[in-house]
Amino acid sequence: MLVDLSAEVLSNTRLAPDYNVVAFAAPSIAQAARPGQFVMIRTSPGLDPLLRRPFSIFEHLRDADGRLVGFSILNKRVGAGTSKLYDVRPGDRLSVLGPLGRAFEPVHPPHEAWMVAGGVGLAPFASLAEALARRGTTMTLFYGGRRAADIYCEDLFERLGVRLVVTTEDGSRGEPGRVTGPLKRALAERQRPTTIYACGPTPMMRAVADLGAEAGVPVFVSLEPVMGCGMGGCYSCVVPVRQDGGPSHLVRGCLDGPVFDASALDWARLEGVGH
């Protein structure tokens, strides 16, 4: 069920000078949302900026009795809209449209679920980890950043029973290097059927897709295309996909994604269309 409402900001937790988590009171959206779906947020009451911004649903928020009361988003301040979200205060109200898009399908035991996140690509995985935990699925999060200051919310995943494998490119936290290093070793050593979920920079997701294909492991990625409307009207979020091995064609990421089977994507063309 798609909902468009004026949602109250419950909290704004600043993680770093450019990262924060904003919680919204929106039980109707939280009840309908599945892991990997997103919302479109008008980041100020006025017309500046004019367009809404897309954000993956990060957490499903519950009250003391376990009832769904809202959701949160993970925000990185990079432009006008995200800067306004960085500065919101509890009690502010913003227009929120959602949930939108194609979701992840959480696997059940005996399958394991491996999540691979680069930077703000962590955003769709808190809700996915919660859904996997309810199923009793064994989970691992391969989480990479450029430096220690880019690694957030580890305690949230640990509380859900997720095993964390952290890497930083400068070696300041966890294993030095890129997140695909420990992922490649784990694929070579795995003992159980596994599904991989990935989100982050396009080159990282492409590398994860290649590793999964080599190991015969399914990979599903959450893409982050530019979106103007989130409902398929503006065609700003096109994604190249293949069917039956033929030439790729463009689909709308907001309707056919943001979650895609990595094996269906034309990665070479994808890296050339602005994602």
Side-chain angles (χ1 to χ4, degrees), residues 37-43 51-57 71 73-76 81-82 85 96-97 100 120 123 223-231 236-237 253-254 258:
Q37 289 189 297
F38 67 98
V39 292
M40 297 291 291
I41 299 177
R42 190 177 300 282
T43 57
L51 299 178
R52 302 184 194 228
R53 298 291 190 268
F55 294 91
S56 292
I57 292 172
F71 67 91
I73 61 161
L74 176 62
N75 176 55
K76 180 181 180 181
T82 51
L85 269 178
V96 179
L97 175 69
L100 295 160
V120 76
L223 300 183
E224 300 174 322
V226 174
M227 291 185 187
C229 71
M231 300 182 67
S236 64
C237 62
C254 61

Side-chain angles (χ1 to χ4, degrees), residues 53-257:
R53 298 291 190 268
F55 294 91
S56 292
I57 292 172
F58 187 47
E59 303 160 281
H60 283 72
L61 305 177
R62 300 176 185 272
D63 63 16
D65 296 320
R67 291 186 294 261
L68 285 165
V69 296
F71 67 91
S72 69
I73 61 161
L74 176 62
N75 176 55
K76 180 181 180 181
R77 178 167 57 175
V78 293
T82 51
S83 293
K84 289 182 180 295
L85 269 178
Y86 189 81
D87 293 329
V88 295
R89 298 178 179 179
D92 289 348
R93 303 190 76 92
L94 297 176
S95 178
V96 179
L97 175 69
L100 295 160
R102 181 182 174 214
F104 287 120
E105 291 294 338
V107 294
H108 295 259
H111 279 76
E112 291 190 11
W114 294 358
M115 296 167 281
V116 186
V120 76
L122 186 70
F125 291 136
S127 61
L128 177 59
E130 182 182 11
L132 291 164
R134 289 198 299 270
R135 290 160 172 78
T137 303
T138 299
M139 300 173 280
T140 300
L141 172 63
F142 298 85
Y143 185 15
R146 293 181 180 176
R147 54 202 171 110
D150 296 324
I151 304 298
Y152 308 107
C153 303
E154 294 164 277
D155 58 337
L156 186 159
F157 288 90
E158 288 173 341
R159 288 197 301 270
L160 291 169
V162 179
R163 182 175 74 93
L164 290 173
V165 179
V166 174
T167 66
T168 51
E169 293 180 19
D170 67 358
S172 57
R173 184 74 173 272
E175 179 178 327
R178 295 182 176 176
V179 72
T180 47
L183 175 64
K184 184 176 182 178
R185 293 196 306 272
L187 283 168
E189 299 167 358
R190 70 188 179 93
Q191 301 294 318
R192 296 165 64 182
T194 303
T195 296
I196 296 176
Y197 307 91
C199 185
T202 299
M204 183 211 81
M205 289 190 290
R206 183 178 186 177
V208 172
D210 289 343
L211 289 173
E214 292 170 7
V217 171
V219 177
F220 297 92
V221 297
S222 177
L223 300 183
E224 300 174 322
V226 174
M227 291 185 187
C229 71
M231 300 182 67
C234 67
Y235 285 80
S236 64
C237 62
V238 292
V239 173
V241 300
R242 300 182 187 277
Q243 286 184 339
D244 302 321
S248 63
H249 65 283
L250 298 175
V251 301
R252 286 166 288 183
C254 61
L255 298 181
D256 292 274

